[in-house]
Every structure is written in structure tokens, then in C-alpha cells.
Amino acid sequence: MGSSPSSGSLPRRRSPEASALPLQEELAALVHHYQHLHNELVHEKPEGSTRRELEDKLLDVRERFDRLLEEWVPDEELREEWREYIHGRRPEPDEPAGIEPLAFQGVTDAGSILQVRGQADEYQVWVDGSLQERIAAQKDLSVDKRVLHFRWDGKEIAETFNASADALNALAAHRDDPDALPPWDYASELLADGLIDVHFDLTPRGKRAIAAL
């Protein structure tokens, strides 16, 4: 996979993703799963083990959602907007700001961290947190083969992943049993590493990470 020529000079600004947490994405993932479980619950019979199981899952997701709000969203008005959103009474809040999805990461021969971030064929190449160029690479980055290389500065850079082995194994187990609860304990690092989307579906990068296990 190769990079495209840069279109003009780009300012050397630091990547806002270096220390950002995928808070908006994790909240959205919890909301999507809560609403999915709630819809299933509505169509279940009043009594039965399936309904009780759904109620337990719903309670677990709601507790995680409330805990995330309390710990990481200091503004009570914003917290209330998210509470309204989880019940479908308003659109998704604009804050906290989301992160640019990580589509590729590797290490250069010089030890620099190269990241490609973005989506919908609008990607940015960052090296050690500095923006280098914008490229169109959706087709190249959508492959799910085991090993992906990105050509940069005349060199082929192999893909690396940040998520822990425990997180990757939990994600693989969820892929094999999609009816089980998603591995919420690892949601933040899986989202930050670009391995899942807010529906907890595997991204192409996530599929490559699982294939490399």
C-alpha cells in the first residue's frame, strides 16, 4: 500500500489523538447496545429465562454507562443530555468530542510512530504526532488480511497494534459468540486502537488484529 503525494504544505501540528480517550465512542457504543437490548426486551414474553437474561444485560450496560458519565463527564447538563439520548429522547450530544479513527499504525526504521487516521477515504498521515499529508486510501486500508504494510518514505512499514493480549483475546471470543455481552472492560482500548466501531463491530484493522493472533 502506498501513500499519495501531499497536496501543498501542511502545518506541523500535534495530533489531538495522542492523549485523547475515546470517551464519545465508548458512550455511543453503550447507548447502541442498550437500545438494542431494550428493543429485544420489548418483544419478549413477560415471564421466562430469556427475559430475565436480557434484563440483567440491560442493567449491566446501564450501570457501565452511568459510571462512565459520572467518572469522565463533569458537566451535569451534558450528562443529562446523554441520559436523554440513551432513552431516544434527543439526538446524540456533540460533546465530548470524538477521536479520528485509527486505521493503521506502524513503526519506522528510525523508531517513529506512523499513524493513518480518518474514514470514508479522507485520511491523514501522522508521524510522531505531526501531520504529514492527507491521502485517499480507503480501498487499501479496508483489507482484512493478516499482515498489512504501508509504504512511507520509500520503506514498507508493517502494521502494529496497541491493544493488550487480553483485550484481543476477549474481542476474538466475542466475534465467535456475538450473542454474549461485548467485552466492555476492554472497550476503551479497543476503540482507541481502531479495532471496533461504536456498534462493537470489527473494523478492517480489527479483523487484521484478530487474524494475527
Side-chain angles (χ1 to χ4, degrees):
M1 180 174 68
S3 64
S4 63
S6 174
S7 55
S9 172
L10 292 173
R12 289 293 186 267
R13 60 187 180 89
R14 299 295 294 178
S15 168
E17 319 304 341
S19 60
L21 293 172
L23 181 56
Q24 188 271 345
E25 289 79 5
E26 190 171 355
L27 286 168
L30 286 163
V31 168
H32 287 304
H33 198 63
Y34 180 91
Q35 292 174 343
H36 171 73
L37 290 172
H38 184 270
N39 289 338
E40 286 191 359
L41 189 61
V42 167
H43 295 95
E44 274 298 318
K45 297 178 181 178
E47 301 294 336
S49 60
T50 301
R51 184 178 183 86
R52 288 192 295 273
E53 183 179 339
L54 284 171
E55 289 173 341
D56 289 343
K57 290 180 178 179
L58 197 69
L59 180 61
D60 177 76
V61 172
R62 182 55 196 255
E63 287 177 345
R64 290 176 181 274
F65 175 80
D66 289 336
R67 186 163 60 248
L68 195 63
L69 282 179
E70 291 299 324
E71 291 178 356
W72 293 101
V73 181
D75 188 325
E76 174 56 33
E77 184 176 344
L78 181 57
R79 289 200 297 263
E80 185 57 31
E81 288 180 4
W82 277 97
R83 295 185 192 111
E84 291 286 310
Y85 175 55
I86 200 172
H87 292 297
R89 293 195 285 260
R90 60 152 291 141
E92 181 175 342
D94 294 329
E95 298 291 335
I99 64 171
E100 279 290 338
L102 180 61
F104 177 91
Q105 177 177 290
V107 182
T108 69
D109 289 344
S112 296
I113 302 298
L114 181 145
Q115 294 183 332
V116 181
R117 290 184 175 275
Q119 56 190 329
D121 216 22
E122 295 180 359
Y123 295 92
Q124 300 172 342
V125 179
W126 301 82
V127 176
D128 286 340
S130 293
L131 179 60
Q132 303 295 311
E133 66 174 333
R134 295 184 176 89
I135 61 173
Q138 184 175 27
K139 182 178 179 180
D140 293 327
L141 293 169
S142 295
V143 300
D144 54 9
K145 60 184 180 181
R146 186 174 182 273
V147 179
L148 182 66
H149 289 81
F150 183 84
R151 188 167 182 81
W152 174 258
D153 198 23
K155 301 290 182 62
E156 294 287 335
I157 300 173
E159 187 167 33
T160 60
F161 303 97
N162 301 316
S164 65
D166 286 345
L168 291 173
N169 288 328
L171 183 59
H174 177 63
R175 177 202 58 184
D176 295 337
D177 185 11
D179 292 332
L181 271 177
W184 292 112
D185 289 344
Y186 303 106
S188 182
E189 63 178 297
L190 293 171
L191 287 162
D193 204 17
L195 306 185
I196 59 172
D197 61 19
V198 297
H199 299 279
F200 235 100
D201 291 331
L202 286 171
T203 63
R205 177 169 161 83
K207 292 177 181 177
R208 296 193 297 269
I210 297 302
L213 289 176

